[in-house]
Amino acid sequence: MAAASLYAIGSASVAMAQDVDAQGAATPEAGTNAASDDVIVVTGFRASLENALAAKRDSNLIIESVTAEDIGKFPDQNIAESLQRLPGVQIDRENGQGTKVRIRGLEQNVTLLNGDLFVSGLENFKVGEGNFVRQDSLEGVPSELIGGVEVFKSPNASLIEGGLGGIVNLKTRSALDMKDGLTLAGNARLNKGSEIGGWEPTGALIAAYNFNDTLGIIASLSYDKTNDHHNVLGGENRGNWAFADGRRDQATTPNNYYAPEYRYITDRDQYRKRWGASLGINYRPTDELELNVNYIHSELKVDTREVSLKFPFGQGELLQLRPGASIDSDGILQSGTVQANSAEAISFVDISDIKSDNLQFGIDYDNGSNFRANIAANYSTADLTREVANNDVRQTAYTVRQNGAGGALVDGVAGNPAAPATWDFTYQNAKFPVFGFGAGTPTDLFSNPAYGLFKSHWAFGDRSKVDGHSIKADFAYDIDDSAENGITLSAGFRYGQRQVEFASGRYLADYSGKGEIDASAIPDAERVPGFSYNWTPYGYFQDPGIGFKICDLPEANKPAAFAGCSRFGNSPVVISPVQSFLSNPERLETIANFAGGQNIPGGSLTVQDRAQMTDALAWIQALYPDTPFSFFEDPLQAYLVKEETKSAYVMADMGSPDDPYHINVGLRIVNTKLRVDQNQPSNADPVYWGTDSWNGVLRDFQTDTTTQSTTDFLPSINAVVDVNDDSKLRFSAARVVARQKLDDLGRGFATNFTRDSTVGSPTQDLFLFTNGSRGNAGLEPFRAYQFDLAYELYLGRQGLISVGAFWKEVDSFIVTETIPVFVNDQGGGRLGPVNQPANGTGGRVRGFEVAGQYAFDFGLGFTANYTFADTSTDGSNDFDTDLPLPGVSKHSFNSQVYFERAGFAARASYTWRSKQYVGNFGFGDGGTTRTLGIYQRSYGQLDGQLSYDFNENFGVFVEGINLTKADQSAYLQFPELPFRYESGSRRIYVGGKFKF
């Protein structure tokens, strides 16, 4: 976000310090160590760090915090990026955005709003052509809507359970914490990505009015529009890799090597638009009573447009690896020339709309003596709608069916007869491999319209809805409120529900008007043994090379017009018209500098125009106006998860403000009831809406409901001792629990198929099973014992040196296992790798943190922190045992250097994390299932900002994100075996700010 969108809200920092202290003391709402009334409110980044430091010092828990001015001063695009500077906090990144927050490397955390339920709409979603599942992203939450953030690394009994790494608590603002009267602040900016054209607007406005500390109203509005471009290496979604027996070129290449089914070189543009609004009302009718209402609304639209050029290898449409290839001792292809059947590119448009609403009500009571109470209610809801359109174009010869139903049965012909039958491409290994044309291949293969055919068209979508509500009450009573050795007892309860519904579906064409029949309606008496009748006249892939399914029936069941037909031979065409680049040039776009221009043959590519595909259903319906399309939900990709929690706690705090110690002990008891509805085929030979399982969705299914009820006892102890006036020693021990991922619980059995184009193969033109995935409704949550020990040395109000150690003994991690499963396909079925989550036997997380910060009187200051996290589990693959927990970097480092003086401010921020294991990748290699580890390479990012305040009301700034355009990449087991790559993009913001 921008430099100082919250420039005017200096007092929010002080309020945050008070709230943090309250969390660390008797109750989340009120504490025994209130901040003094004579705090001087100052502004600037230096002041915000001072306030956050005071909050850390006063807290009775191990926490980190970001105050409103901190957020406003960082060059951050969302809440996740606002947290990345804190000790022990890292974030995941994708498409130039910070997404998931990790505390000490762990993703099993809980995000709250004012200490209770919060939803963003991105709890579970899919991205990209590979439908990769992503969860718990904070990229949709604008920083401008939040007054501050707390990161709890050690819990007490009053805090809501759910974090294995910790708790992220988003805090809204109160107008009663501001000066009387009107406060108005905001900014207006323009931003631009380095690899894409166009400056886009961004801005925020915050208005608050304090009516004599009795009634306060605050509202904020934010708008953010960004464009990004990335060059990408992909292809792991095509799981049909090979190494030995699975390769089609074993005869010509006896040396085994790792060969993906396809490698994708992708040119990706992403357009984001985000609205956010918040409203807070605080009413204090008496000194003892305060009523509050908080509402946050956000809308995010993500428009992703990709073009990918597909390079076939081992089990793709490879013909041979030509002699002279270089394969190293690990089986990694370093260079070579591949001859392949297919030269294809895909245009892909993925548009997601996410909306979320969070509404909270609260009543706070404090008698000013020894009793405090809080009652709060919460309602949250979010919706996600995703629409996706796809088109494959072909630049080598592709056989299409001829004539319509009722016409003469003739063999198919090339839909692009001028195109070459095969092509050769060269490969040079690298993090982002380089491809070129081989000898004999036309150098205009991807730009000459005479070669191009619009091959396959398909569209699908996702729907997700999250609803939740809760009510809670907290009470605190000071048994002894004397200046020394005070004792406070606290208790509370909470009831909450959360429900998540997810559905994925396909737009299917109704072929009944074309002459296709419903085979499931053929009477049993007329069926011939050995043939399949589990299909209906619908289709997902609109491909002119696919003939009528009728042709797969025995002659006794075929209508007269189809007698003797072969589906991939002389069948009539099912879907028409068949279009080429020459017949329909209005459908084309040419990308002149495709994926940077250096990594593909020729540097440019002509494909289906993505701008025509932004309405998936309208686009595909317009292509085939005589064939109706409808959305069919895929039962195997639909699920419902409902969670009901009842919790209660008791807690005692010992120590008064004047005591050199504070001890907090408590017990939280949580009962969780979980219901998971997921769908499975209702019989061994279910019928599909579609001509094939790969060409439709399941029709015959049953819903299986799994329920479980668990009760967790979560004791905790937190102790802090003042070693002297400037140093503290902290200790914490607790039992914690983290809930399972929703998609891991709910998803059914999803299978992937690929068409065998090997000439002469017994399964030529048939669709074969490659790989799959499924959930596990019986997963147990993460549970662990954790211990923390920390020492803090404070150097006045502006300095700190701290050292802390942490240890987590985890009962059971959830790991991904790859197992071979037999799945029926058109070739009679075969074994393939299926990934599924499972409970492991446990593991360990241990490490330490070192942090320091200081501000000099002449305006220079710095912050720096380092985290070491070592993890181990019982996970394994073909090469390693005792694998680390996925996503945890062993080393991470954050630093900032800043200078502020006479209105001028400059700041540079750098974050770095070492490589991390992110999971296993399995594939079927002939009769062998192979499993290798995926490792994300180390990543560092430099951000910066310059600003100048003309006076206390106006200022200007320029800021940059990822100034060095650092890229991200991953490898498969061996550093030389590339798996993923995403180029970096620099973003520049220029704007002005104001406050009144």
Side-chain angles (χ1 to χ4, degrees):
M1 74 169 253
S5 60
L6 309 179
Y7 180 81
I9 320 298
S11 58
S13 300
V14 179
M16 176 59 64
Q18 295 170 338
D19 289 338
V20 169
D21 176 71
Q23 288 278 9
T27 73
E29 293 76 29
T32 59
N33 298 334
S36 64
D37 295 332
D38 59 352
V39 173
I40 298 174
V41 178
V42 293
T43 60
F45 178 67
R46 177 188 179 115
S48 69
L49 290 179
E50 179 182 329
N51 290 326
L53 194 61
K56 182 180 182 70
R57 185 171 189 167
D58 293 340
S59 175
N60 299 317
L61 303 178
I62 299 176
I63 71 161
E64 309 295 341
S65 64
V66 180
T67 65
E69 289 225 340
D70 248 341
I71 297 175
K73 284 289 188 179
F74 282 143
D76 298 327
Q77 303 173 92
N78 56 55
I79 283 293
E81 296 194 357
S82 297
L83 296 176
Q84 65 181 320
R85 330 285 182 190
L86 298 178
V89 178
Q90 302 94 42
I91 64 172
D92 291 348
R93 294 181 177 277
E94 192 166 27
N95 295 317
Q97 297 279 328
T99 55
K100 178 179 293 185
V101 173
R102 295 178 179 272
I103 301 175
R104 292 166 171 169
L106 300 174
E107 64 173 324
Q108 296 81 15
N109 307 304
V110 61
T111 300
L112 307 176
L113 177 66
N114 295 321
D116 212 326
L117 175 70
F118 173 76
V119 302
S120 67
L122 296 174
E123 282 72 23
N124 188 71
F125 61 105
K126 297 180 180 179
V127 297
E129 197 266 341
N131 271 331
F132 302 113
V133 176
R134 300 290 185 264
Q135 294 180 323
D136 299 325
S137 174
L138 291 179
E139 61 193 282
V141 184
S143 297
E144 292 91 341
L145 303 188
I146 303 301
V149 188
E150 302 162 332
V151 177
F152 291 91
K153 299 176 182 177
S154 66
N156 67 22
S158 71
L159 293 171
I160 292 178
E161 71 288 341
L164 185 66
I167 299 169
V168 177
N169 186 34
L170 311 179
K171 306 280 288 186
T172 55
R173 306 178 193 87
S174 169
L176 294 182
D177 293 320
M178 302 177 188
K179 295 179 180 180
D180 284 349
L182 177 67
T183 299
L184 185 66
N187 66 69
R189 297 165 284 165
L190 291 174
N191 75 88
K192 184 184 182 303
S194 59
E195 313 301 316
I196 194 169
W199 287 85
E200 299 294 348
T202 303
L205 179 66
I206 302 164
Y209 202 97
N210 185 341
F211 296 86
N212 298 319
D213 290 334
T214 299
L215 174 65
I217 301 174
I218 184 169
S220 63
L221 181 68
S222 71
Y223 175 77
D224 187 42
K225 186 177 181 182
T226 61
N227 301 337
D228 272 297
H229 175 83
H230 300 277
N231 304 320
V232 178
L233 170 70
E236 69 266 34
N237 58 300
R238 303 297 292 263
N240 210 19
W241 282 49
F243 177 72
D245 295 341
R247 286 189 297 107
R248 292 176 175 160
D249 59 348
Q250 292 180 80
T252 56
T253 308
N255 292 341
N256 292 332
Y257 68 98
Y258 291 100
E261 182 179 357
Y262 291 92
R263 285 208 184 277
Y264 282 42
I265 296 294
T266 299
D267 187 286
R268 176 186 297 158
D269 294 330
Q270 189 171 87
Y271 308 91
R272 288 172 170 260
K273 186 184 297 184
R274 185 178 63 197
W275 284 95
S278 68
L279 175 66
I281 301 174
N282 294 75
Y283 177 53
R284 191 178 294 155
T286 69
D287 290 340
E288 295 81 20
L289 184 66
E290 182 175 329
L291 312 178
N292 61 78
V293 178
N294 287 290
Y295 172 68
I296 289 183
H297 172 81
S298 66
E299 297 183 16
L300 174 65
K301 181 176 182 179
V302 183
D303 179 349
T304 304
R305 306 184 188 187
E306 296 181 351
V307 170
S308 299
L309 188 55
K310 301 187 286 188
F311 295 90
F313 284 89
Q315 294 190 62
E317 297 197 23
L318 170 143
L319 294 175
Q320 64 172 318
L321 181 61
R322 292 196 181 276
S326 173
I327 301 171
D328 70 15
S329 58
D330 291 322
I332 299 167
L333 178 64
Q334 295 293 343
S335 62
T337 300
V338 173
Q339 183 188 29
N341 273 324
S342 68
E344 291 185 1
I346 179 174
S347 295
F348 170 88
V349 176
D350 181 341
I351 298 178
S352 293
D353 287 286
I354 305 102
K355 297 180 181 180
S356 70
D357 294 278
N358 291 269
L359 178 63
Q360 295 182 328
F361 301 89
I363 302 174
D364 292 302
Y365 175 79
D366 186 341
N367 68 358
S369 176
N370 60 355
F371 179 74
R372 294 167 300 283
N374 168 267
I375 299 175
N378 176 288
Y379 174 73
S380 299
T381 185
D383 295 276
L384 179 148
T385 301
R386 179 184 181 222
E387 297 289 302
V388 182
N390 304 259
N391 171 236
D392 275 343
V393 297
R394 177 95 167 202
Q395 282 92 0
T396 51
Y398 186 70
T399 301
V400 301
R401 314 275 70 83
Q402 298 189 77
N403 300 333
L409 299 181
V410 295
D411 287 337
V413 297
N416 49 346
T422 66
W423 74 303
D424 281 24
F425 64 84
T426 61
Y427 174 82
Q428 183 63 49
N429 194 42
K431 286 194 302 183
F432 193 31
V434 177
F435 295 84
F437 285 122
T441 297
T443 57
D444 62 348
L445 182 65
F446 296 119
S447 59
N448 189 335
Y451 301 146
L453 175 73
F454 295 103
K455 176 177 168 270
S456 301
H457 308 78
W458 68 102
F460 63 90
D462 297 330
R463 315 285 186 261
S464 177
K465 184 172 181 60
V466 183
D467 288 300
H469 61 269
S470 66
I471 185 169
K472 69 172 184 174
D474 300 278
F475 307 93
Y477 180 74
D478 298 332
I479 295 177
D480 182 353
D481 60 355
S482 59
E484 295 182 355
N485 302 316
I487 299 176
T488 299
L489 295 182
S490 307
F493 66 87
R494 179 182 183 273
Y495 174 82
Q497 280 194 4
R498 185 177 63 148
Q499 179 171 295
V500 180
E501 295 180 81
F502 183 85
S504 185
R506 295 174 167 184
Y507 287 100
L508 302 184
D510 184 351
Y511 298 149
S512 56
K514 300 289 187 180
E516 191 67 274
I517 67 171
D518 183 351
S520 69
I522 297 176
D524 290 345
E526 299 177 14
R527 297 186 179 188
V528 178
F531 287 84
S532 174
Y533 296 87
N534 65 342
W535 50 273
T536 56
Y538 296 90
Y540 177 49
F541 292 104
Q542 315 311 318
D543 187 324
I546 303 174
F548 276 83
K549 182 69 172 180
I550 291 173
C551 298
D552 285 345
L553 290 172
E555 293 298 322
N557 298 132
K558 290 180 181 178
F562 292 89
C565 74
S566 169
R567 190 179 188 188
F568 293 96
N570 61 0
S571 168
V573 66
V574 178
I575 194 78
S576 60
V578 179
Q579 297 181 344
S580 69
F581 288 12
L582 292 177
S583 67
N584 295 85
E586 74 281 358
R587 292 183 58 183
L588 298 174
E589 69 166 316
T590 297
I591 304 174
N593 192 39
F594 181 84
Q598 305 299 316
N599 292 76
I600 69 152
S604 65
L605 185 64
T606 300
V607 292
Q608 160 72 50
D609 185 356
R610 292 164 292 174
Q612 300 174 3
M613 303 167 65
T614 54
D615 186 330
L617 176 59
W619 166 74
I620 201 167
Q621 186 64 79
L623 291 175
Y624 307 104
D626 297 330
T627 305
F629 285 79
S630 301
F631 185 80
F632 284 71
E633 184 176 299
D634 182 359
L636 294 180
Q637 295 298 303
Y639 60 82
L640 179 146
V641 178
K642 185 175 182 179
E643 177 187 76
E644 180 185 57
T645 58
K646 301 173 185 176
S647 59
Y649 72 90
V650 291
M651 190 169 69
D653 285 87
M654 292 160 280
S656 297
D658 293 339
D659 290 326
Y661 72 93
H662 189 100
I663 300 174
N664 170 275
V665 294
L667 174 66
R668 188 175 187 90
I669 304 174
V670 184
N671 175 258
T672 303
K673 293 183 178 179
L674 198 64
R675 169 187 161 187
V676 180
D677 290 350
Q678 54 186 178
N679 303 312
Q680 307 293 344
S682 58
N683 55 74
D685 189 27
V687 176
Y688 287 82
W689 294 117
T691 57
D692 309 86
S693 61
W694 49 266
N695 202 30
V697 301
L698 184 67
R699 190 191 77 177
D700 295 348
F701 68 92
Q702 65 185 33
T703 300
D704 296 336
T705 298
T706 303
T707 61
Q708 56 177 283
S709 178
T710 59
T711 300
D712 288 284
F713 293 83
L714 307 175
S716 62
I717 179 172
N718 293 273
V720 56
V721 176
D722 294 339
V723 179
N724 54 46
D725 290 343
D726 297 318
S727 60
K728 291 178 178 286
L729 184 66
R730 300 181 186 272
F731 170 77
S732 173
R735 175 74 167 168
V736 294
V737 61
R739 295 181 175 91
Q740 312 91 318
K741 291 183 180 179
L742 300 174
D743 191 67
D744 285 348
L745 287 168
R747 71 177 183 270
F749 189 18
T751 52
N752 298 315
F753 298 84
T754 192
R755 185 177 173 187
D756 184 1
S757 62
T758 305
V759 177
S761 167
T763 56
Q764 181 180 351
D765 290 327
L766 302 183
F767 281 78
L768 309 178
F769 171 66
T770 60
N771 65 314
S773 64
R774 60 190 178 194
N776 181 354
L779 286 176
E780 288 286 322
F782 297 84
R783 294 185 175 93
Y785 290 100
Q786 68 174 40
F787 306 91
D788 288 85
L789 182 65
Y791 174 76
E792 299 164 359
L793 174 62
Y794 291 87
L795 308 174
R797 299 171 60 185
Q798 297 276 1
L800 168 71
I801 298 173
S802 66
V803 179
F806 54 89
W807 187 301
K808 298 177 189 285
E809 285 291 333
V810 185
D811 298 350
S812 175
F813 281 120
I814 296 173
V815 298
T816 299
E817 60 182 10
T818 303
I819 60 174
V821 175
F822 184 86
V823 174
N824 283 316
D825 56 24
Q826 287 189 303
R830 64 173 179 162
L831 282 171
V834 173
N835 292 330
Q836 63 182 26
N839 284 110
T841 59
R844 176 175 294 157
V845 182
R846 56 189 175 183
F848 63 87
E849 298 168 349
V850 179
Q853 69 181 73
Y854 196 77
F856 298 94
D857 293 338
F858 60 88
L860 182 68
F862 71 90
T863 70
N865 59 78
Y866 165 79
T867 301
F868 172 84
D870 185 35
T871 68
S872 62
T873 71
D874 65 347
S876 64
N877 55 38
D878 293 349
F879 294 86
D880 298 297
T881 59
D882 300 324
L883 288 167
L885 189 66
V888 180
S889 292
K890 183 170 287 190
H891 308 278
S892 61
F893 175 76
N894 301 314
S895 65
Q896 298 180 92
V897 177
Y898 63 92
F899 180 81
E900 291 184 346
R901 193 174 185 87
F904 173 77
R907 181 163 66 254
S909 305
Y910 184 73
T911 63
W912 178 86
R913 56 188 300 199
S914 63
K915 78 168 186 179
Q916 64 258 205
Y917 165 77
V918 296
N920 283 339
F921 179 76
F923 59 89
D925 184 29
T928 303
T929 297
R930 302 187 185 277
T931 308
L932 290 77
I934 307 169
Y935 293 87
Q936 187 84 10
R937 287 187 174 89
S938 61
Y939 177 81
Q941 179 169 308
L942 177 65
D943 303 328
Q945 180 189 75
L946 295 172
S947 67
Y948 183 75
D949 294 342
F950 298 105
N951 51 46
E952 64 179 11
N953 300 118
F954 295 100
V956 294
F957 56 85
V958 58
E959 56 192 28
I961 299 172
N962 195 12
L963 293 172
T964 62
K965 298 195 289 188
D967 58 56
Q968 297 187 88
S969 63
Y971 60 87
L972 189 60
Q973 194 62 48
F974 307 99
E976 291 294 309
L977 183 54
F979 195 65
R980 301 172 187 153
Y981 174 88
E982 181 183 294
S983 67
S985 175
R986 179 192 305 119
R987 179 160 302 282
I988 300 297
Y989 285 88
V990 178
K993 58 189 178 181
F994 67 90
K995 75 160 186 176
F996 295 99

